[in-house]
């Protein structure tokens, strides 16, 4: 081997050792790659969120219609309250939601730390009911609860470091290894099927406990499939949808019905459109 090959081999071995050491048991109970800590993901996501929402505001795309905002906030407030019951430490997150006016974009997301957005395209093109919107946002909230953002950021970082270790990274790709850039990549990268299955399972439970019909998880994906056609919605580009997804969700419905049919008031979180104002607020009973 040449000195360069030996150097590259040593770098790869060191990288593999670092990756193994970075594996940890996540909130889902499975082992996750955690080169990026959850707190780092939350901090980076805060920067990415400010950029995304700032851009939407500059373009005049932040929805101001009080009826639509109220509808989305009521749904997410009930979901977040259940998320906090599931993960009490998330009460410290800066939970907030924005509605972005983009009729062509069928998408929604929740970053690490609880900052959410949903696009009017998803609401309008799917003619989504409140129960179906709850499934969308419950699914997204679950990605944050299960630390999938940090996991995707870690995967992106591992890929970048791997390229650098083997000497095939360009200068621009090497510069990508930064928190804000990784947060953007973490948001855009598709989730693994395992992560999707986890978020489906937790999301439908959160929605049912918040008082939203579990059957809507199935009708949502039926509508999503119809909306796809030859050009799948953006939501599907970051949320791989295997053929058996509807069946898997349908199988969960009977388990979720007792939560949905539970009597009594549902907790409601005090949502705020301003992330800083939402920090530290507690869930209250409606």
């Amino acid at each position: 081997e040449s000195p360069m090959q030996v150097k590259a081999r040593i770098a790869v071995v060191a990288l593999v050792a670092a990756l193994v050491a970075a594996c940890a048991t996540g909130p889902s109970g499975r082992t996750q790659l955690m080169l990026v800590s959850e707190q780092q993901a939350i901090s980076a996501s805060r920067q990415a969120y400010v950029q995304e929402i700032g851009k939407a505001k500059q373009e005049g795309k932040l929805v101001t219609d009080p009826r639509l905002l109220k509808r989305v906030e009521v749904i997410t407030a009930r979901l977040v309250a259940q998320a906090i019951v599931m993960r009490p430490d998330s009460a410290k997150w800066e939970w907030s939601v924005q509605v972005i006016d983009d009729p062509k974009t069928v998408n929604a997301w929740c970053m690490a730390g609880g900052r959410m957005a949903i696009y009017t395209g998803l609401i309008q093109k799917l003619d989504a009911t409140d129960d179906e919107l709850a499934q969308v946002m419950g699914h997204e909230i679950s990605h944050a609860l299960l630390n999938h953002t940090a996991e995707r950021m870690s995967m992106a970082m591992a890929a970048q470091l791997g390229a650098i270790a083997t000497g095939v990274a360009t200068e621009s790709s090497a510069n990508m290894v930064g928190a804000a850039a990784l947060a953007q990549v973490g948001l855009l990268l598709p989730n693994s099927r395992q992560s999707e299955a986890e978020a489906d399972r937790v999301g439908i439970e959160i929605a049912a406990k918040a008082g939203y019909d579990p059957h809507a998880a199935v009708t949502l994906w039926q509508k999503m499939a119809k909306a796809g056609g030859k050009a799948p919605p953006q939501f599907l580009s970051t949320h791989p949808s295997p053929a058996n997804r509807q069946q898997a969700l349908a199988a969960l419905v009977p388990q979720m019905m007792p939560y949905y049919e539970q009597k009594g008031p549902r907790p409601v979180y005090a949502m705020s459109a301003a992330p800083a104002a939402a920090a530290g607020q507690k869930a209250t009973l409606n």
Side-chain angles (χ1 to χ4, degrees):
E1 290 180 308
S2 69
M4 185 66 72
Q5 288 174 317
V6 172
K7 196 172 183 180
R9 183 162 54 81
I10 292 172
V12 170
V13 170
L15 176 61
V16 170
L19 294 179
V20 171
C23 289
T25 301
S28 66
R30 70 173 168 83
T31 301
Q32 294 175 287
L33 177 63
M34 287 297 143
L35 287 169
V36 178
S37 71
E38 184 172 50
Q39 193 51 51
Q40 288 173 320
I42 289 172
S43 178
S45 293
R46 184 184 293 114
Q47 298 177 46
Y49 182 84
V50 169
Q51 292 173 8
E52 287 290 319
I53 298 304
K55 180 183 175 184
K57 185 175 182 179
Q58 189 175 17
E59 295 173 353
K61 289 186 175 181
L62 288 186
V63 169
T64 56
D65 175 9
R67 288 184 301 174
L68 180 54
L69 288 176
K70 183 68 175 176
R71 182 188 179 198
V72 171
E73 286 173 6
V74 166
I75 294 169
T76 51
R78 289 167 62 171
L79 295 170
V80 169
Q82 294 299 332
I84 291 172
V85 172
M86 189 171 285
R87 254 195 81 173
D89 64 311
S90 69
K92 298 180 292 185
W93 290 0
E94 297 174 0
W95 292 102
S96 64
V97 64
Q98 294 280 4
V99 183
I100 299 175
D101 187 13
D102 189 342
K104 294 182 179 180
T105 299
V106 181
N107 203 15
W109 42 260
C110 178
M111 291 185 172
R115 299 165 193 82
M116 295 172 275
I118 185 169
Y119 295 77
T120 54
L122 188 149
I123 300 169
Q124 295 166 358
K125 287 193 174 185
L126 301 187
D127 190 21
T129 65
D130 286 1
D131 292 303
E132 289 166 346
L133 288 181
Q135 299 300 327
V136 171
M137 300 312 292
H139 178 93
E140 294 306 310
I141 286 169
S142 297
H143 279 308
L145 291 180
L146 296 168
N147 209 8
H148 290 163
T149 304
E151 185 176 24
R152 291 202 307 276
M153 289 173 67
S154 296
M155 294 298 292
M157 177 178 281
Q160 292 290 336
L161 293 177
I164 293 169
T166 54
V168 297
T170 63
E171 184 177 350
S172 61
S173 68
N175 290 337
M176 276 286 290
V177 185
L182 283 171
Q184 293 283 0
V185 171
L187 189 63
L188 296 174
L189 274 179
N191 289 288
S192 69
R193 290 192 175 186
Q194 190 171 29
S195 316
E196 284 298 299
E198 290 172 357
D200 278 349
R201 171 64 181 76
V202 173
I204 194 173
E205 180 177 337
I206 288 173
K209 288 179 175 178
Y212 294 102
D213 190 349
H215 292 93
V218 180
T219 59
L220 168 72
W221 285 102
Q222 288 171 344
K223 287 184 176 182
M224 198 72 74
K226 289 180 182 177
K230 294 183 179 178
Q234 185 177 349
F235 192 82
L236 292 183
S237 70
T238 53
H239 298 74
S241 182
N244 65 350
R245 188 168 201 167
Q246 290 177 33
Q247 288 82 354
L249 286 165
L252 290 171
V253 170
Q255 302 172 43
M256 301 300 142
M257 289 305 289
Y259 297 134
Y260 171 57
E261 294 169 345
Q262 198 169 18
K263 304 297 182 185
R266 311 281 178 157
V268 178
Y269 182 81
M271 294 295 296
S272 172
Q281 292 179 341
K282 305 297 181 184
T284 56
L285 286 178
N286 189 10

